[in-house]
């Protein structure tokens, strides 16, 4: 297993440009492939997850060309078609769940496979609505873990569906399938998750009605085809979260993060950190500046950071805070690239914090200062965000050894270079 050793940094200064938003990157390629004609994408994430999506759209009949900093996607005039070969999503849950929705509406048999981590993740959450729409979906065991076999149907039946989990991927799978349905499809979520799919479908000219209902959202989509267009993918806020936490918990830091996506469901981590006392400021251009700050413990609800991608980073903030931080309703962490519920607790413990859990809640007693962090030794299995959280803690504290660090390439291949550039 790959091993990286990091020493604690004396001083951190500088500016980082995080990769293009992973969510936006997947969808730009997918919408480009579903459209007829040529779409251009700038700012695409260079991570392996998005590369898997690019390979899959090619297998389904789109053309993907790399031109300097731009990617051109040409969707076939007659629409996408089934591939004879398995569609390999690698480590990427977003690829598997969103493609499940797309291929459900393409006649023929499709097989979606993934790496060891993805092969443990539940796909029943997308299979259920897609079966209601008329696709056949098979996987392994009750949770329908991959490989996923899907027989697509065109058209699919339009449905009206309440998503029982908090998941942007499930919502998006249904919306993509809705493009190939025989009437308007409605999907409802009780907690608003990232709006990337809705926003981009609207920009691509698809007929969509979006209504906020209490803390949730209702989206109705008309069948149709997205238009080819130019996509400019903004910086990824979930990657910015690592640098924000690093800047705040390190004893001598000033870090500027080049502009990122600021849609409300993506930047909850900024509010959480500010509530803890973090000196974090937005620039007019959407950049974020993080400076050394003493932190106080807080109570963090999953709904504040839907999809809970920022919890590994916030665990490091909790470890550097004064008092006990409560992480509430965090059950979804268990079915991410790794069990991040256990992984976040293990990371805080490895730093020297007392931790405990009760049901879907967990608690971290902070050490008041990252100078009190222990030299870390962690092993991460196929989970980019756990690697980045551990690296931030190591740099802010007394160094650390991370086994399995190459997993960072799923979303951020240049992460360690960017960390080094701040020293
Ligand atoms: C994503 C949704 C989230 C998130 C993932 C990306 C997306 O998962 O964890 O990194 O692009 O739709 P959920 O489906 O659990 O919200």
């Amino acid at each position: 297993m790959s091993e990286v050793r990091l020493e604690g940094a004396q001083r951190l200064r500088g500016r980082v440009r995080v990769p293009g938003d992973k969510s936006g990157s997947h969808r730009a390629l997918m919408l480009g492939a579903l459209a007829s004609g040529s779409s251009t994408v700038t700012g695409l994430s260079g991570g392996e997850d998005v590369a898997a999506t690019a390979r899959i759209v090619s297998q389904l009949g789109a053309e993907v060309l790399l031109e300097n900093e731009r990617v051109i996607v040409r969707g076939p005039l007659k629409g996408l078609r089934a591939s004879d070969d398995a569609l390999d999503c690698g480590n990427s849950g977003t690829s598997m769940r969103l493609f499940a929705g797309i291929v459900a509406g393409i006649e023929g048999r499709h097989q979606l496979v993934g790496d060891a981590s993805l092969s443990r993740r539940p796909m029943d959450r997308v299979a259920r609505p897609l079966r209601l729409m008329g696709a056949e979906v098979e996987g392994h065991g009750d949770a329908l873990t991959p490989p996923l076999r899907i027989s697509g149907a065109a058209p699919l039946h339009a449905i009206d569906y309440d998503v029982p989990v908090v998941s942007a991927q499930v919502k998006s799978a249904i919306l993509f399938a809705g493009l190939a349905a025989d009437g308007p499809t409605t999907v409802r979520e009780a907690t608003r998750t990232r709006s990337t799919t809705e926003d981009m479908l609207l920009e691509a000219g698809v007929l969509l009605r979006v209504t906020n209902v209490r803390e949730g959202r209702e989206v109705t989509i008309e069948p149709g085809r997205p238009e080819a267009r130019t996509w400019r993918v903004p910086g990824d806020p979930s990657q910015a979260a690592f640098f924000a936490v690093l800047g705040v918990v390190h004893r001598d830091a000033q870090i500027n993060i080049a502009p990122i996506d600021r849609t409300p469901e993506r930047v909850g981590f900024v509010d959480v950190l500010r509530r803890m006392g973090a000196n974090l400021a937005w620039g007019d251009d959407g950049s974020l500046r993080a400076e050394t700050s003493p932190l106080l413990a807080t109570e963090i609800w999953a709904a504040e950071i839907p999809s809970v991608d920022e919890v590994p980073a916030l665990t490091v903030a909790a470890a550097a805070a004064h008092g006990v931080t409560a992480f509430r309703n965090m059950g979804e962490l268990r079915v991410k690239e790794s069990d991040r519920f256990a992984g976040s607790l293990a990371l805080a413990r490895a730093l020297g914090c007392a931790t405990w859990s009760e049901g879907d809640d967990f608690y971290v007693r902070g050490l008041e200062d990252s100078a009190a962090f222990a030299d870390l030794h962690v092993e991460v299995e196929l989970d980019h965000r756990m690697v980045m959280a551990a690296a931030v803690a190591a740099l802010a504290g007394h160094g650390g050894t991370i086994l399995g660090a190459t997993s960072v390439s799923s979303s951020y291949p240049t992460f360690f270079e960017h960390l080094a550039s701040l020293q």
Side-chain angles (χ1 to χ4, degrees), residues 37-99:
S38 210
S39 292
T40 303
V41 191
T42 60
L44 198 75
S45 157
E48 283 168 11
D49 284 10
V50 171
T53 284
R55 279 193 297 276
I56 293 172
V57 296
S58 310
Q59 280 179 267
L60 296 174
E63 213 181 322
V64 182
L65 304 166
L66 197 61
E67 254 185 23
N68 304 320
E69 300 288 280
R70 307 184 312 167
V71 175
I72 313 290
V73 189
R74 289 208 188 99
L77 190 65
K78 291 188 179 158
L80 300 175
R81 48 161 171 70
S83 163
D84 294 336
D85 301 319
L87 309 173
D88 188 353
C89 303
N91 189 245
S92 172
T94 309
S95 306
M96 186 163 295
R97 295 198 176 115
L98 271 54
F99 277 119

Side-chain angles (χ1 to χ4, degrees), residues 257-326:
I257 303 160
I260 53 171
D261 177 21
R262 281 182 74 171
T263 49
E265 296 81 18
R266 301 300 303 280
V267 290
F269 73 91
V270 175
D271 298 330
V272 170
L273 287 170
R274 280 191 174 151
R275 198 161 74 220
M276 296 176 82
N279 187 348
L280 266 182
W282 289 109
D284 292 339
D285 58 351
S287 59
L288 194 59
R289 181 181 167 86
E291 284 186 22
T292 307
S293 324
L295 296 181
L296 281 176
T298 188
E299 188 172 20
I300 306 171
W301 290 87
E304 297 183 84
I305 38 167
S307 301
V308 293
D309 286 344
E310 296 77 21
V311 170
L314 291 173
T315 299
V316 179
H322 173 77
V324 176
T325 294

Side-chain angles (χ1 to χ4, degrees), residues 200-333:
M200 292 177 72
L201 283 166
L202 275 169
E203 282 181 58
V206 172
L207 292 177
L208 208 72
R209 198 175 59 247
V210 182
T211 321
N212 287 343
V213 185
R214 288 183 288 276
E215 281 79 45
R217 187 181 279 135
E218 180 181 297
V219 187
T220 299
I221 183 167
E222 299 285 340
R225 221 171 155 181
E227 289 160 8
R229 50 160 290 140
T230 297
W231 298 106
R232 290 189 182 81
V233 181
D236 191 327
S238 304
Q239 308 290 23
F242 294 103
F243 292 97
V245 169
L246 178 62
V248 168
V249 303
H250 187 276
R251 70 199 77 89
D252 180 8
Q254 278 178 16
I255 300 178
N256 263 297
I257 303 160
I260 53 171
D261 177 21
R262 281 182 74 171
T263 49
E265 296 81 18
R266 301 300 303 280
V267 290
F269 73 91
V270 175
D271 298 330
V272 170
L273 287 170
R274 280 191 174 151
R275 198 161 74 220
M276 296 176 82
N279 187 348
L280 266 182
W282 289 109
D284 292 339
D285 58 351
S287 59
L288 194 59
R289 181 181 167 86
E291 284 186 22
T292 307
S293 324
L295 296 181
L296 281 176
T298 188
E299 188 172 20
I300 306 171
W301 290 87
E304 297 183 84
I305 38 167
S307 301
V308 293
D309 286 344
E310 296 77 21
V311 170
L314 291 173
T315 299
V316 179
H322 173 77
V324 176
T325 294
F327 291 83
R328 303 228 180 263
N329 211 7
M330 296 288 168
E332 272 296 303
L333 285 175

